[in-house]
């Protein structure tokens, strides 16, 4: 699953969104969503680190890193086809959203993209 959606007129405005899912009796979970503005020429670009979220996501008992305290080995494969848990869930809140809020509060013109976008199209 790609964490990026291309913007279309009269639909989602380009930006960084965090969709929060709440099921009755369950802990809320979130999904980061980046809507790109392809062709825009903002002077600043912000890269959302969705691959990093998955690297630290411990859903299913493993992340990309070994955790001796939990006796969990590093996973050899990661997938976007799983919910976020632990580090994957908190990463946007701790590291990205404070900066995004400040940029938007200051009215800074910024384009958003993901590390997947940068890998697919480095220029």
């Amino acid at each position: 699953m790609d964490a990026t959606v291309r913007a279309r007129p009269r639909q989602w405005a380009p930006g960084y969104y965090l969709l929060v899912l709440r099921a009755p009796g369950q802990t809320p979970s979130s999904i980061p969503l980046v809507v790109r503005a392809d062709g825009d020429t903002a002077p600043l670009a912000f890269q959302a680190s969705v691959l990093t979220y998955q690297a630290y996501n411990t859903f299913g008992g493993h992340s990309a890193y070994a955790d001796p305290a939990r006796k969990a080995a590093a996973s050899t494969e990661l997938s976007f086809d799983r919910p976020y848990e632990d580090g994957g869930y908190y990463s946007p809140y701790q590291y990205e959203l404070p900066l995004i809020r400040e940029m938007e509060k200051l009215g800074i013109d910024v384009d958003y993209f993901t590390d997947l976008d940068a890998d697919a199209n480095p220029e």
Side-chain angles (χ1 to χ4, degrees), residues 16 18 29-30 32 49-65 67 70 82-96:
Y16 184 106
L18 196 59
S29 186
S30 63
S49 301
V50 297
L51 294 172
T52 301
Y53 307 159
Q54 283 302 339
Y56 287 97
N57 186 2
T58 59
F59 182 83
H62 298 283
S63 73
Y65 304 100
D67 185 351
R70 293 176 45 195
R82 62 189 182 141
Y84 287 100
E85 186 173 61
D86 292 344
Y89 179 75
Y90 294 110
S91 293
Y93 289 102
Q94 290 176 327
Y95 304 111
E96 295 184 343

Side-chain angles (χ1 to χ4, degrees), residues 2-86:
D2 189 349
T4 304
V5 175
R6 287 190 173 84
R8 294 186 181 94
R10 297 191 184 127
Q11 291 184 353
W12 289 64
Y16 184 106
Y17 296 87
L18 196 59
L19 309 175
V20 179
L21 309 173
R22 291 182 178 91
Q26 301 291 319
T27 302
S29 186
S30 63
I31 302 169
L33 175 71
V34 173
V35 179
R36 293 191 320 244
D38 292 344
D40 194 7
T41 58
L44 185 64
F46 182 90
Q47 177 178 296
S49 301
V50 297
L51 294 172
T52 301
Y53 307 159
Q54 283 302 339
Y56 287 97
N57 186 2
T58 59
F59 182 83
H62 298 283
S63 73
Y65 304 100
D67 185 351
R70 293 176 45 195
K71 297 181 181 170
S75 180
T76 58
E77 189 173 315
L78 299 174
S79 171
F80 282 99
D81 294 333
R82 62 189 182 141
Y84 287 100
E85 186 173 61
D86 292 344

Side-chain angles (χ1 to χ4, degrees), residues 80-122:
F80 282 99
D81 294 333
R82 62 189 182 141
Y84 287 100
E85 186 173 61
D86 292 344
Y89 179 75
Y90 294 110
S91 293
Y93 289 102
Q94 290 176 327
Y95 304 111
E96 295 184 343
L97 290 178
L99 178 58
I100 291 167
R101 283 188 193 112
E102 194 64 26
M103 288 187 305
E104 292 182 355
K105 183 173 78 175
L106 295 170
I108 296 173
D109 185 17
V110 61
D111 285 338
Y112 297 91
F113 65 101
T114 71
D115 43 10
L116 288 170
D117 297 322
D119 289 345
N121 190 2

